[in-house]
Amino acid sequence: MAVNRRKSKAGRRILAAGAGLATVGALVAALPAGASSDAVSGGGTNGKGWGRMVDVQLLSFNDLHGNLEPPTGSSARLTRLKGDGSTEEINNIGGAEYLATHLEQARAGHRYSITAAAGDMIGASPLLSGIFHDEPTIEALNEMKLDVSAVGNHEFDEGARELARMQNGGCHPVEGCFEEGKTFEGANFPYLAANVTDEKSGKPLLDPYFVWEKDGVRIGFIGVTLEGTANIVSAEGVKGLKFGDEVETINKYAKVLERKGVKSIVALLHEGGKPASGAYNYDCDTPGAGAGISGPIVDIAKNVTPQVDALVTGHTHQAYACTVPDPAGKPRTVTSAASFGRLYTDTTLTYDRRTKDIVRTAVASANHVVTRDVDEHDKIRDLIKRWNVLAAPIADRPVGHIGESIKNPTDEGVYEKPLGNLIADAQLAGLSPADKGGAQLALMNPGGVRAPLTKRDDGVVTYRDAYTVQPFTNMMTVVDLTGAQLVTALQQQVSGANLASPKILQVSRNFAYTLDMTKTGADRIVVDSVRLNGEPIDPSKSYRVAMNEFLTGGGDGFPVLATGTNKLVGASDLDVFIAYLTANSSAAEPLRAPATGRITIVK
């Protein structure tokens, strides 16, 4: 008899690194052929529930990163491709209470509906979720009726033991329970991590797969994170764990599911690609299947066994719904819904009751915008209010002192900003230790500095103040760039996408160059003026450069920054900023605005 996961967590245990607990993988493997590891009920009805062909709705999203409250700035925007080939910007989108409503509305009228996610539901989260170790987000996902999710790299930000708590519940081991008389219950949905195993036993850390079942319709889900997860999270947090090859793992468990009679299979994969256009509705099958997308997901999709009928992906924060050919040359759906709850993907899987398989030619998929013109979901809205009350004492705690307001002027032609300089200095300080990335300089996007740091009478800077300055909680990264690539990045500030409206990067105190505004385009950068620690940049030499993940992804018109190699992911930009404020200021010696002059302007 199938067990409703919303009513029981029996048997759902996790093997935390070094904890010696039994793994659910072993329990699942012991099931007899034809048995289901778990099942959930779909909602609604339609006229296609009892014939040979059944339409199964698959709703999916990825990279929520704890964005419960509506995101702001660039995190609340997407680009849409219009019918005439031009693009338009869509603003003020996303927010958990709106995502929940959209999902609820999308399920209406569908007898068979599954909601799945491709990882990074938590980690790198905004203040409301992050300060409570993402308990609010897990609660919200439960309310959204999420059925299953793969783990992403950020699920390991606080280590395997904390991930165990996210799954199984219980109070935080250090901070305890956040609400009096209430114990965190954990996720009602299974986190899947088929390619994350204990180095000694070889057993999976979490369930490797999940079988959804209703009225005899059975669909298996295999969940994996990117093989390189161990290289971009804290080594201590994943000590004793092995992250296996994505393709090999998916193919292995597809065979396991086949042996159990499950022929319809979806892979939830926290790895992705990049479409040729940033528009969320771009047709990445132009001029042929999968021709408009690049990146790791392409090779993965081309090598994952044809037994898998669709791939729901993430990690790159991109939006796409492509059909990349499988190893047999047959088109197969590959999707991603951007990030931060701005989109969800609606995929129709046509299930053949006789063959128990998905009819590939009938698969249809599209991304949909999470607009804010729908009613707020009552339970999510109330959840956000409840946690905000609890957050107030944390948000108001002191993190540093300033002796004057540190400005972020937005006047046209003011290219170097005192607060931008301070943030770049903080990022260099935080990422320069060898074990933090060995950064030699730091670059900060000007649009990521959202407000000035305004001095109060007592000079105290609170957590809330710092968060208002840096609200996106982008993860910090350190990458290798050559001197030539660094110069190209400077040139892209004033050319290409930024020709008409320059976006001047804020730079750390040890980096300097001349910007000649009497010239045009890339010529505005005086190449032989670029200096690091007073020495000319060597075009052929490699440098370790710190920047947030928005820039590492080529955001704000800096495609060259996306070509960096040997990437290491560190703490969030907010954590780095707060650490710098705390370490470099006190009531007796408050921090003052850094001097400008790193960028010499010729007008």
Side-chain angles (χ1 to χ4, degrees), residues 35-86:
S36 170
S37 66
D38 237 330
V40 296
S41 297
T45 60
N46 61 25
K48 301 180 181 180
W50 305 107
R52 172 178 167 179
M53 297 297 181
V54 176
D55 282 348
V56 179
Q57 180 188 58
L58 174 62
L59 301 175
S60 59
F61 55 100
N62 52 276
D63 296 276
L64 180 64
H65 290 288
N67 278 264
L68 299 182
E69 296 178 295
T72 59
S74 60
S75 296
R77 294 197 294 263
L78 282 172
T79 300
R80 174 164 39 208
L81 189 63
K82 298 167 68 175
D84 61 4
S86 63

Side-chain angles (χ1 to χ4, degrees), residues 230-250:
N231 298 322
I232 54 176
V233 299
S234 168
E236 187 63 28
V238 295
K239 187 176 180 180
L241 296 180
K242 180 180 179 181
F243 293 82
D245 180 85
E246 303 96 331
V247 172
E248 291 178 4
T249 303
I250 293 170

